[in-house]
């Protein structure tokens, strides 16, 4: 036979149980940072570009920062572009200088539960030091104006040995076609195809060729997405000639 508890005892038990649930639930929710994208070692070319991508998860959401020799990177040629609410950050270095930029860079992810660090090494070679097979951009993207809802294709072709892998950056952040529900595809040729163009697709695009010998970036090219209006051709030619004379 179960014991008969008085109302006062039952109230105390209920309160204690609620506190236990809250404490256990609160502790379970907190997680230290964990990297979901780690930067890779890179071999770049002097005068070119290097980008290191780093992203972490955790609870509370961690903040990702970049260090060089234990200190926050600080240079006009170094730029940190945050994404995912500061849980991700791209370290972009442009133009690369040898030997001053050759170093080990540190991505640090930190929240109230903990801190973790991952390292990536940058090697910078002069053009006359490049090994055989170093990637070359044979055809980079060009300035393009497209009507909204139409398909835009940004071209890219690269060579090297082994055959380089082509990836894309938009406004200095990596393009992830898998996050577009099939609207953005990277073709076998390396070109980036954007279906049903939206204003959010507008920006500065770069293709990147990577193999075991190194990394090379194309020159950037702007994609403009415009509503179909009378006079859009005037806008195109104005943009084209502005691009030519400011290149």
């Amino acid at each position: 036979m179960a014991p008969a508890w008085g109302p006062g005892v039952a109230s105390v038990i209920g309160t204690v149980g609620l506190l236990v649930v809250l404490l256990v639930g609160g502790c379970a929710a907190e997680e230290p940072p964990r990297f979901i994208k780690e930067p890779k070692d890179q071999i770049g070319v002097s005068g070119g570009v290097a980008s290191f991508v780093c992203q972490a998860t955790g609870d509370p959401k961690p903040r990702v920062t970049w260090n060089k020799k234990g200190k926050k990177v600080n240079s006009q040629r170094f730029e940190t572009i945050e994404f995912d609410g500061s849980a991700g950050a791209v370290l972009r270095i442009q133009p690369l200088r040898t030997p001053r930029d050759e170093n080990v860079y540190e991505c640090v992810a930190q929240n109230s539960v903990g801190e973790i660090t991952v390292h990536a090494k940058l090697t910078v070679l002069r053009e006359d030091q490049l090994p055989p097979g170093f990637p070359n951009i044979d055809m980079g993207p060009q300035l393009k104006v497209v009507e909204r809802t139409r398909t835009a294709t940004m071209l890219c072709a690269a060579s090297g040995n082994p055959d380089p892998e082509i990836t894309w950056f938009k406004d200095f952040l990596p393009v992830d076609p898998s996050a577009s529900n099939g609207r953005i595809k990277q073709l076998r040729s390396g070109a980036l195809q954007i279906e049903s163009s939206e204003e959010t697709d507008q920006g500065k695009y770069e293709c990147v060729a990577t193999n075991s010998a190194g990394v090379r970036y194309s020159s950037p090219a702007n994609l403009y997405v415009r509503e179909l209006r009378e006079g859009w051709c005037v806008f195109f030619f104005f943009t084209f000639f502005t691009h030519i004379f400011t290149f």
Side-chain angles (χ1 to χ4, degrees):
M1 181 176 178
W5 301 106
V9 175
S11 176
V12 170
I13 292 175
T15 302
V16 171
L18 178 61
L19 287 173
V20 169
V21 169
L22 289 174
L23 287 171
V24 171
C27 292
E30 290 191 342
E31 296 180 0
R34 174 176 56 86
F35 288 117
I36 54 178
K37 284 186 182 177
E38 296 189 8
K40 300 177 182 179
D41 295 347
Q42 289 189 35
I43 303 173
V45 58
S46 183
V49 182
S51 292
F52 294 100
V53 182
C54 190
Q55 187 178 10
T57 187
D59 192 356
K61 200 168 192 174
R63 179 179 177 84
V64 166
T65 55
W66 280 95
N67 293 339
K68 177 183 178 182
K69 296 181 178 178
K71 297 181 180 179
K72 189 175 181 179
V73 291
N74 183 20
S75 170
Q76 291 183 343
R77 295 181 300 104
F78 288 63
E79 184 175 2
T80 301
I81 305 97
E82 297 181 345
F83 63 96
D84 188 23
S86 299
V90 174
L91 175 63
R92 182 182 174 95
I93 309 172
Q94 181 185 18
L96 292 174
R97 294 287 181 258
T98 183
R100 72 175 71 174
D101 293 336
E102 292 192 316
N103 220 299
V104 175
Y105 295 87
E106 306 147 11
C107 173
V108 181
Q110 183 179 31
N111 66 9
S112 58
V113 186
E115 177 180 312
I116 54 175
T117 302
V118 66
H119 302 84
K121 181 181 179 181
L122 174 62
T123 303
V124 183
L125 303 176
R126 299 190 310 268
E127 285 282 357
D128 61 356
Q129 294 177 315
L130 299 182
F134 195 91
N136 188 61
I137 302 292
D138 301 322
M139 178 176 59
Q142 302 294 319
L143 170 72
K144 184 176 290 290
V145 180
V146 66
E147 299 169 16
R148 193 175 66 83
T149 74
R150 298 293 181 89
T151 297
T153 303
M154 306 297 283
L155 300 177
C156 183
S159 57
N161 188 20
D163 290 337
E165 175 187 3
I166 293 178
T167 54
W168 285 86
F169 279 72
K170 173 182 177 282
D171 296 331
F172 304 156
L173 292 174
V175 175
D176 181 8
S178 65
S180 69
N181 295 320
R183 196 175 61 84
I184 300 176
K185 303 181 181 71
Q186 185 167 327
L187 307 181
R188 293 183 62 183
S189 63
L192 190 69
Q193 181 174 284
I194 305 169
E195 298 177 354
S196 302
S197 298
E198 304 169 354
E199 288 187 6
T200 54
D201 298 320
Q202 185 167 284
K204 184 179 293 186
Y205 287 79
E206 300 166 290
C207 71
V208 185
T210 306
N211 66 10
S212 56
V215 179
R216 195 186 292 269
Y217 280 63
S218 73
S219 297
N222 285 313
L223 170 65
Y224 295 96
V225 180
R226 290 290 180 262
E227 293 283 354
L228 179 58
R229 294 190 183 99
E230 185 178 353
W232 75 273
C233 290
V234 174
F235 168 81
F236 170 79
F237 285 112
F238 172 78
T239 304
F240 175 79
F241 284 111
T242 300
H243 174 80
I244 292 296
F245 289 114
T246 58
F247 183 72

